Amino acid sequence: MKFLAWIPFLSPMNWIQSAWYLLLIPLALGVSMIYKAMRVTDIHAYWRQVGVMTLQVVLAITGLAVGLILFVRYIIPMT
Amino acid sequence: MTGPSKRQDTHGQDSPGRSSNRPLAALLAWLLPGLGHMYLGQRFRGRMILLGTLFLVTFGVLIGGVDVVDMQRDRLWFIAQAGTGPIAFLLDLLNQALLKTASPGTQAQFTSLGNLNSTGTLYIALAGLMNVVVIIDALAGPERAHDTPGRRSTDR
């Protein structure tokens, strides 16, 4: 039912509002595609390297988020 | 980095190559992401740059609607988005024509807010900033063989 009022490319994807953080994955994929197109030395390994970089970016940002959560919830209240 | 008239072969050694007009390649890269690399003979790289940029732009507009590109309201973001070239200007034109001239009710329906607007804007801004790197690479990047598998001496 949430999709009925949605007009792609015109109205925003309001139905994904509650899980907006998942949009990090295609963002990391797109940036990796462009970066690795310039940087990769063996073009046969292009897609594998794109996958590896996407995973690295997602894991790094998830790690930062977890670190920030721990800092705000546990370290700051102690001070 | 090697001189402008040399390129590296698969063993990292210099070999003579076709001299290319680098400033023209940079201009082409701004006009259509990836076109500069295609002009330099790196067709696979060019195609992947175009695919990646279109992927980010399409996803950005899909997430937040055409409202995510707005030269008047989000000027600083638009500077980054303008790196994608005419694509950003075309989207801004669409935004002005479809949303900004519509009734307040329609504007409220199609204007994205909060995280969705920020994320959609960020997608296209990152596409623009990545294309600035692509333009610099087309202008002054290392000479590469014409899509021949190999290694750059500076890479691991």
Side-chain angles (χ1 to χ4, degrees), chain A residues 5-17 20 23-27 29-31 33-44 46-47, chain B residues 44-45 48-49 51-53 55-56 58-59 61-66 98 110 112 115-116 119 123 126 130 133-134 137 144 147 149-152 155:
Chain A
W6 182 53
I7 304 169
F9 301 106
L10 198 58
S11 48
M13 290 164 69
N14 290 323
W15 44 273
I16 207 168
Q17 184 83 263
W20 64 270
L23 296 170
L24 166 69
I25 298 166
L27 181 74
L29 176 66
V31 170
M33 281 172 72
I34 301 171
Y35 180 76
K36 284 296 174 184
M38 286 178 288
R39 195 68 188 151
V40 78
T41 49
D42 179 5
I43 58 175
H44 294 123
Y46 173 74
W47 287 109
Chain B
F44 178 79
R45 292 179 198 276
M48 290 304 111
I49 290 165
L51 190 68
T53 308
F55 178 81
L56 284 178
T58 306
F59 241 94
V61 179
L62 202 62
I63 292 163
V66 285
L98 294 174
F110 295 120
S112 53
N115 287 335
L116 290 183
T119 311
Y123 263 72
L126 274 179
M130 286 306 293
V133 179
V134 170
D137 190 68
R144 301 183 185 102
D147 279 351
R151 296 189 71 83
R152 247 192 282 168
D155 284 346

Side-chain angles (χ1 to χ4, degrees), chain B residues 29-33 53 57 80-89 124 127-129 131:
Chain B
W30 183 75
L31 285 174
L32 185 70
T53 308
V57 171
Q81 292 170 334
T84 55
I87 297 171
F89 290 90
I124 303 175
L129 291 176
N131 200 44

